[in-house]
Amino acid sequence: MSTVLEVKNIEKYYGNKSNLTKAIDGISFNVAEGEFVGIMGASGSGKTTLLNCISTIDRVTAGKIIINNKDITKLRENHLNKFRREELGFIFQDFNLLDTLTAYENIALALTIQKVNPKEIDKRVKEVADKLGITEILDKYPYQISGGQKQRVASARAIITNPKIVLADEPTGALDSKSARQLLETFEHLNKNLGATILMVTHDAFTASYAERIIFIKDGKIFNELIKGEDTRKQFFEKIIEVQTLLGGDLNDVI
């Protein structure tokens, strides 16, 4: 199985010489094609900074991040924009849907920007909508659909371009428990049936239990790693809770 993401000894500093903060301290790991990996850690651990660097929102101070054999730390801004559009899919906590566009138009937007043939766009939007169970809401606007439906529309938008990796930032944070479960089942479907490679930051052990591997970050370093293997989701959930306990702090505040 080929490697989609290589994070090589990255460091990230904020501030200046008199007040320097090391947000990431020598983190290295790989993600293979078709993996579903979660990243967890306490507030201020560096996991959001890590995701921001991988998503090209922020730049590393040292080290390399290689996605689909491209060292993104060396890409200039005009090439970064093209890279984001073509190689990355994003799923955010607050959905980031455009209120003035229908669900169909929100999903199709990335392909429209890429100047894909309209017939091909229509075919791909309808295919992904069918797979995610949102065909009946394609003509509705974001304010007309539920939070769970919005997040499935956002998921469809994230994978419509066949990105090398989907980056999810607290995807269940704004959802009720039923909608969260539906979204996580959607992620499982994206991963297992559609072959999507997913890297997800979450504070929630239940959400993390849907992943196949969890990387725990503490003080800017990798603290631990769990692999689901043959465990049931319940067994994996319990192991995640154990590591969270070792990380210390209020479990409800492990962000």
Side-chain angles (χ1 to χ4, degrees), residues 32-151:
E33 184 178 8
E35 266 202 291
F36 184 176
V37 179
I39 297 176
M40 302 188 78
S43 179
S45 63
K47 70 184 186 309
T48 300
T49 300
L50 173 62
L51 189 71
N52 286 344
C53 290
I54 293 169
S55 66
T56 73
I57 292 170
D58 207 347
R59 286 188 177 271
V60 298
T61 306
K64 292 182 178 181
I65 298 174
I66 299 170
I67 299 176
N68 195 27
N69 298 317
K70 296 186 186 76
D71 184 351
I72 65 171
T73 61
K74 293 181 178 178
L75 292 180
R76 295 188 176 181
E77 195 59 39
N78 58 332
H79 291 114
L80 274 177
N81 290 333
K82 184 174 186 290
F83 180 82
R84 287 187 200 107
R85 288 197 306 268
E86 296 179 359
E87 306 284 357
L88 303 180
F90 297 94
I91 301 173
F92 302 96
Q93 180 177 332
D94 58 357
F95 320 126
N96 276 20
L97 298 177
L98 296 174
D99 292 334
T100 56
L101 300 182
T102 64
Y104 180 102
E105 291 165 339
N106 267 284
I107 296 168
L109 184 60
L111 296 179
T112 305
I113 291 170
Q114 291 182 14
K115 299 181 179 177
V116 175
N117 180 284
K119 286 185 178 178
E120 175 68 13
I121 291 175
D122 188 63
K123 175 174 171 284
R124 285 165 68 174
V125 170
K126 287 177 178 174
E127 281 179 355
V128 74
D130 180 60
K131 288 171 181 173
L132 296 183
I134 52 174
T135 301
E136 75 283 356
I137 62 165
L138 285 178
D139 61 344
K140 295 185 182 296
Y141 290 90
Y143 72 88
Q144 296 175 309
I145 60 180
S146 69
Q149 288 171 326
K150 287 178 187 175
Q151 202 56 300

Side-chain angles (χ1 to χ4, degrees), residues 163-181:
K164 287 300 176 184
I165 189 166
V166 175
L167 305 172
D169 185 10
E170 299 284 4
T172 61
L175 301 178
D176 59 53
S177 58
K178 181 183 177 183
S179 296
R181 187 184 293 270

Side-chain angles (χ1 to χ4, degrees), residues 35 158 185 240:
E35 266 202 291
E185 288 169 357
I240 293 167

